[in-house]
Amino acid sequence: MPAPPGSSDERSLGEIFSDVANDLSTLIKQEMDLAKTEMKEEAKKAGKGAGLLGGAGLAGYMVLLFVSLTAVFALDEGMPLWLAALIVTVIWGVIAAVLAVTGRSALKRSNPQLPQTQQTLKEDAAWARAQKN
């Protein structure tokens, strides 16, 4: 407990360091508890959003399925059904191939090693070592 203003503090240097260490430990624990609480709240929001996006993805898939069926039946008016289905299938195959190639090249360009974070952590460690010496 800090001494009131105007009074002399009779604590030893070791007691002062111990109090500071305890206060710092308490502060860190409180910050961690706050971070946990905030993360739980954000995770709930993210979970709800992910569920809604999953539902939207399923609905989008159904739209594509029925648009494809509509295209097959429309093409069937001027050609055999098997040929109409084959044409729609080839179109979807080309779309899938383009998306796969594009996605693959995007993954190759990504850098999961987080170079900036690694660099700043190295700088922090060097700074901490310099403070010890």
Side-chain angles (χ1 to χ4, degrees):
M1 171 176 270
S7 69
S8 65
D9 192 352
E10 298 296 326
R11 297 181 295 169
S12 69
L13 188 57
E15 290 172 331
I16 292 172
F17 279 127
S18 176
D19 289 345
V20 169
N22 286 335
D23 291 345
L24 186 58
S25 175
T26 301
L27 178 63
I28 290 172
K29 287 177 186 175
Q30 289 172 343
E31 291 293 333
M32 292 298 290
D33 289 341
L34 177 62
K36 287 178 188 176
T37 301
E38 286 179 329
M39 286 298 292
K40 285 179 185 177
E41 290 174 11
E42 292 302 316
K44 285 180 187 177
K45 291 178 190 175
K48 184 177 179 179
L52 291 171
L53 283 175
L58 178 62
Y61 171 76
M62 297 302 291
V63 167
L64 287 177
L65 176 67
F66 284 106
V67 164
S68 297
L69 285 172
T70 302
V72 168
F73 290 128
L75 290 172
D76 181 44
E77 294 296 320
M79 61 185 67
L81 181 60
W82 69 268
L83 185 57
L86 180 62
I87 290 171
V88 171
T89 301
V90 168
I91 290 171
W92 277 114
V94 169
I95 291 170
V98 168
L99 290 174
V101 168
T102 305
R104 185 171 180 240
S105 70
L107 283 175
K108 283 184 176 182
R109 286 191 308 264
S110 70
N111 187 0
Q113 295 180 2
L114 308 173
Q116 285 182 308
T117 301
Q118 288 178 357
Q119 181 61 34
T120 57
L121 287 174
K122 287 177 185 176
E123 291 169 2
D124 291 346
W127 176 83
R129 280 192 297 274
Q131 298 303 311
K132 279 178 38 178
N133 296 332

